[in-house]
Amino acid sequence: MANLEHPGSPGWTGPIHQCTPTARQDVLPSGPDLPRSGPEEHLETQDGPSSNSSMTTRELQEHWQKEKSRWRHVKLLFEIASARIEERRVSKFVMYQVVVVQTGSFDSDMAVVERRYSDFERLHKALLKRFGPELEDVAFPRKRLTGNLSAETICERRLELRDYLRLLYAVRAVRRSREFVDFLTRPELREAFGCLRAGQYARSLDLLGRVLPLQEKLTAHCPTAAVPALCATLVCLRDLERPAEAFAVGERALQRLRARESHRYYAPLLDAMVRLAYALGKDFASLQGRLDDSQLRSPTHRGFTLKELTVREYLS
């Protein structure tokens, strides 16, 4: 995610390339409502109860009604708010600040990430390989051999990349694809989980706090997709001795795993929640009961703790 040294942040003191073109009109893609997954989830498929769920038919029907109302479709708006030139030892390139906000209501969790033109280019190639015919009307900003760092080129490319993201998001299969979601979230998630493995819990928590809302918005059709990041947040908060906050995050994760008792995070999460509830003086009997039932239905020979499970995410 963009840090305090990036444009648009309070501590930024470097140049910001802004432009207000008068000859070009902004074109928003039209289409149906646009909706809002961890590393091993299938982002293109809708979550459902696990095959070994103990829920009755009526309970399942009630579950789906609640899920339908909870995971409402959202519309996201993409902007390229600013750009900056970054100098490395042997190269210069432009970093574009991508801002993602939910439309229709005040969004307190506005997401900001930074990506290079080459990142966009890799995304486009991956999407073409998978969705070729569906992208025939989606224009990708052409590469320029010279003048890439001029103010005029940067201004024009900001608008082109903004329109490109909006057009991609208008294609249902694309916006639900792993390629699209990973483009916007994976670099930050990899860094966050790397910090968790290194024991840098405060830094990991900060990164997770900024990328998790965006991941949830992008993957509303697959609620379990955000479970690894939620569990990593729980681990950070617990190890920073903030058990009440950790328990609250764990409850959010458990909501996403309802009727998904075979999910790899279900039993480790319940075990962590039982321990937190006991430490906080809360009623842990119901959580312990759910854990016991789960282990009876799906006994495991080697059970990972929640921390052991989360540190294995985003290793590559």
Side-chain angles (χ1 to χ4, degrees):
M1 307 298 290
N3 58 37
L4 293 181
E5 297 180 353
H6 289 171
S9 301
W12 173 251
T13 58
I16 299 179
H17 295 278
Q18 301 286 0
C19 58
T20 310
T22 56
R24 176 170 178 157
Q25 290 184 340
D26 296 347
V27 180
L28 289 175
S30 60
D33 285 349
L34 312 181
R36 50 174 198 165
S37 128
E40 296 181 6
E41 305 299 335
H42 296 286
L43 304 189
E44 296 82 358
T45 58
Q46 182 72 29
D47 274 337
S50 59
S51 58
N52 65 343
S53 172
S54 61
M55 301 173 73
T56 65
T57 301
R58 179 167 182 168
E59 287 174 333
L60 286 171
Q61 291 173 340
E62 292 176 351
H63 163 74
W64 285 123
Q65 288 297 325
K66 290 179 181 178
E67 288 298 297
K68 186 176 180 181
S69 62
R70 181 183 295 127
W71 312 116
R72 294 177 180 175
H73 294 304
V74 299
K75 288 185 179 181
L76 298 182
L77 180 66
F78 295 84
E79 293 287 351
I80 308 294
S82 61
R84 65 183 177 87
I85 297 174
E86 182 161 315
E87 261 187 89
R88 298 282 174 86
R89 183 173 298 177
V90 294
S91 65
K92 287 184 182 181
F93 53 86
V94 181
M95 294 293 290
Y96 295 92
Q97 187 187 69
V98 182
V99 177
V100 188
V101 295
Q102 180 176 331
T103 64
S105 61
F106 174 72
D107 186 2
S108 61
D109 290 319
M110 178 181 69
V112 181
V113 298
E114 283 195 325
R115 298 292 183 265
R116 298 174 59 175
Y117 174 84
S118 58
D119 297 324
F120 284 90
E121 190 175 34
R122 278 192 294 271
L123 169 66
H124 189 63
K125 289 179 179 178
L127 292 175
L128 280 178
K129 186 176 180 180
R130 183 175 177 189
F131 302 106
E134 296 182 64
L135 300 179
E136 59 183 15
D137 295 326
V138 179
F140 182 72
R142 63 183 177 86
K143 181 177 286 187
R144 303 175 186 229
L145 297 178
T146 60
N148 287 320
L149 302 181
S150 70
E152 182 180 359
T153 297
I154 292 173
C155 177
E156 182 177 338
R157 185 164 280 174
R158 279 181 51 218
L159 298 175
E160 291 173 340
L161 291 174
R162 178 204 63 186
D163 291 345
Y164 172 70
L165 286 176
R166 293 184 182 185
L167 288 169
L168 288 181
Y169 194 71
V171 181
R172 183 177 184 271
V174 172
R175 68 173 174 260
R176 291 189 170 196
S177 69
R178 174 169 302 284
E179 291 84 352
F180 186 72
V181 175
D182 279 356
F183 167 74
L184 290 164
T185 62
R186 190 172 183 84
E188 289 73 27
L189 285 170
R190 282 189 63 187
E191 184 179 356
F193 278 84
C195 290
L196 173 60
R197 282 189 290 273
Q200 299 172 7
Y201 303 121
R203 173 62 178 160
S204 178
L205 187 61
D206 178 61
L207 289 163
L208 288 166
R210 285 183 275 161
V211 71
L212 184 54
L214 176 58
Q215 186 186 32
E216 289 177 309
K217 291 169 186 173
L218 290 167
T219 61
H221 58 286
C222 183
T224 59
V227 167
L230 284 168
C231 289
T233 303
L234 181 156
V235 170
C236 290
L237 288 167
R238 182 192 63 192
D239 288 5
L240 288 170
E241 299 184 355
R242 294 158 63 178
E245 294 171 78
F247 189 84
V249 171
E251 289 183 315
R252 288 171 57 194
L254 281 176
Q255 285 181 347
R256 292 171 174 272
L257 290 177
R258 186 174 179 194
R260 298 278 295 182
E261 294 155 5
S262 63
H263 195 282
R264 60 200 172 95
Y265 270 89
Y266 186 76
L269 175 58
L270 275 175
D271 181 70
M273 290 293 283
V274 168
R275 296 171 188 273
L276 283 169
Y278 180 81
L280 291 167
K282 294 179 177 288
D283 178 16
F284 61 89
S286 61
L287 290 168
Q288 185 66 58
R290 290 169 64 182
L291 177 60
D292 293 341
D293 290 344
S294 173
Q295 292 175 336
L296 284 173
R297 281 191 292 271
S298 303
T300 56
H301 298 290
R302 169 69 173 94
F304 290 110
T305 66
L306 193 63
K307 188 171 186 177
E308 290 172 336
L309 201 55
T310 54
V311 297
R312 285 167 169 76
E313 302 284 4
Y314 296 96
L315 287 171
S316 60

